[in-house]
Amino acid sequence: MAPSVGIPCSLLYFWFYPFWETFFRELGARVVTSGSTNKQILDLGVKEALADACVPVKLYFGHVQALMPEVDFLFVPRLVCLNYQTTYCPKFLGLPDMIRHTFTGSPPLIDIRIDVREGLHALPKAYWQAGRALGAKHAAVARAYLLAWKAQRRYLTLLQKGLLPGEAAPGKSSPTGKRPPDRRGRLVFGVLGYPYLVHDPYISVGLIARLQKMGVGVITLENIPPRLLYRQPLPLDKRLFWTPGDLVYRAALYLLSSRRVHGLIHVTAFGCGPDAMVGKYLEQALRRHPEVPFLTLTVDEHTGEAGMATRIEAFVDMVRRPKAGW
Ligand code: SF4
């Protein structure tokens, strides 16, 4: 029987799921995901993760537990660096160790370490190790790797056309099929933050759907081509160290300088170390653009629906009022 590989629907699942799913499926594995976050998953994570961990890490623990009885292997990659310049937050670097030491009876982990600074072949080599964990031959891994890239490129193209991760992922569809949303003549907000906060409707308390229901068009970090982000001049002496934080900051600068949004919302997790800096830099950037209203939404495991809804509605009303007609 084909081995099953579990992929937790949390953290960088929202960026790399098409690659991971295609890679393991093409190697003949049965790919099992933990599904959307719900209260049970959150409670499981809160119970097992360190009390001072950020809520995304707690959620990851919950998703892992939901998968543990179902699968032969768990895919828990150690993502270090994918762009030669910045690294992922230390929580990502320690993820396989945290999972292994917390859940001693967990299925074997496929815990490849990915750091492209180790050389040209670092990425294929890491996936070669993942394939070897499943007993796959070299040619099969090479084929799965190429098909995974193809799926990932298709996904990125759809994101850059304006779809959101939940709409562009294989097997999912948006209200307009795979067509980009039409934002002409609408109030448009940039909603910036880490993908596992912004695109997890449970922890963001349905932020994006709420905005869309109120007639607000949404642009997220994933909709902006990376070449535009990396071309963005930074008003800093050096870049930020952490990859997602660096991208969020660049996305804010890009949206502000290109005047593409009428408001900006930053979604951040309570207790996030990197965001303590990113948030401050965003505030500084917004001071140079006082015409763009700015809202910070901090989420944690106690975030309530009523409080979140009130803040979002008040923000939309505030932006909309002077621009009658939207
Ligand atoms: S970047 Fe922040 S929210 Fe994300 S894992 Fe690290 S500490 Fe948690």
Side-chain angles (χ1 to χ4, degrees):
M1 204 168 108
S4 52
V5 176
I7 301 181
C9 297
S10 190
L11 296 182
L12 294 182
Y13 161 89
F14 296 94
W15 279 355
F16 300 120
Y17 174 66
F19 190 104
W20 295 341
E21 194 267 343
T22 308
F23 179 76
F24 288 115
R25 181 169 37 80
E26 290 297 331
L27 286 180
R30 188 167 60 86
V31 176
V32 182
T33 58
S34 50
S36 306
T37 302
N38 54 37
K39 179 157 178 7
Q40 195 191 355
I41 286 179
L42 175 64
D43 289 346
L44 284 170
V46 168
K47 199 163 152 241
E48 293 297 341
L50 287 174
D52 60 355
C54 58
V55 72
V57 167
K58 288 177 182 167
L59 279 183
Y60 195 85
F61 275 60
H63 280 273
V64 163
Q65 287 175 86
L67 283 170
M68 274 170 31
E70 311 283 330
V71 297
D72 301 316
F73 295 92
L74 270 171
F75 182 56
V76 184
R78 192 190 306 272
L79 293 171
V80 182
C81 173
L82 293 178
N83 64 3
Y84 301 92
Q85 289 164 349
T86 51
T87 59
Y88 282 82
C89 139
K91 304 265 172 57
F92 284 90
L93 275 57
L95 210 51
D97 305 315
M98 287 194 277
I99 296 296
R100 192 173 279 119
H101 291 289
T102 306
F103 305 112
T104 42
S106 85
L109 301 192
I110 301 178
D111 63 344
I112 53 174
R113 180 179 191 278
I114 306 180
D115 184 348
V116 295
R117 296 169 303 180
E118 287 172 356
L120 206 55
H121 300 295
L123 192 59
K125 204 167 136 198
Y127 281 98
W128 159 234
Q129 282 162 0
R132 212 170 47 182
L134 295 180
K137 297 247 167 29
H138 198 282
V141 178
R143 181 180 167 280
Y145 181 77
L146 291 177
L147 290 172
W149 265 120
K150 207 168 153 192
Q152 186 70 17
R153 270 197 295 270
R154 205 176 312 128
Y155 177 63
L156 294 178
T157 304
L158 289 173
L159 292 178
Q160 287 163 31
K161 282 184 177 168
L163 294 186
L164 299 170
E167 302 166 337
K172 306 281 173 62
S173 70
S174 76
T176 56
K178 295 287 184 196
R179 274 186 293 118
D182 185 359
R183 301 194 191 95
R184 279 172 303 179
R186 291 172 70 188
L187 191 64
V188 177
F189 286 175
V191 178
L192 299 180
Y194 305 140
Y196 38 90
L197 295 173
V198 171
H199 300 294
D200 185 326
Y202 188 86
I203 206 65
S204 70
V205 201
L207 168 64
I208 290 188
R210 237 174 249 281
L211 289 170
Q212 288 172 331
K213 215 166 148 197
M214 295 172 83
V216 179
V218 169
I219 298 180
T220 69
L221 164 63
E222 294 75 19
N223 299 139
I224 307 170
R227 70 188 152 76
L228 296 181
L229 295 178
Y230 284 112
R231 225 188 268 160
Q232 191 59 44
L234 294 186
L236 302 174
D237 292 338
K238 51 182 169 180
R239 67 173 69 238
L240 294 171
F241 296 135
W242 318 120
T243 305
D246 179 56
L247 291 174
V248 165
Y249 182 49
R250 286 169 184 275
L253 295 176
Y254 169 74
L255 290 176
L256 291 171
S257 62
S258 60
R259 300 181 185 278
R260 289 186 59 189
V261 291
H262 306 106
L264 209 58
I265 298 180
H266 179 216
V267 187
T268 177
F270 178 77
C272 169
D275 263 357
M277 281 187 75
V278 174
K280 285 286 163 226
Y281 284 132
L282 289 183
E283 282 170 22
Q284 278 180 10
L286 265 298
R287 264 186 231 133
R288 293 188 290 274
H289 292 271
E291 74 284 3
V292 180
F294 178 54
L295 172 70
T296 298
L297 291 175
T298 305
V299 296
D300 67 7
E301 57 270 41
H302 307 296
T303 304
E305 188 156 356
M308 190 67 138
T310 309
R311 297 192 68 194
I312 296 165
E313 283 164 20
F315 186 68
V316 174
D317 284 349
M318 184 191 77
V319 181
R320 188 168 263 157
R321 197 160 296 149
K323 304 179 195 307
W326 268 321

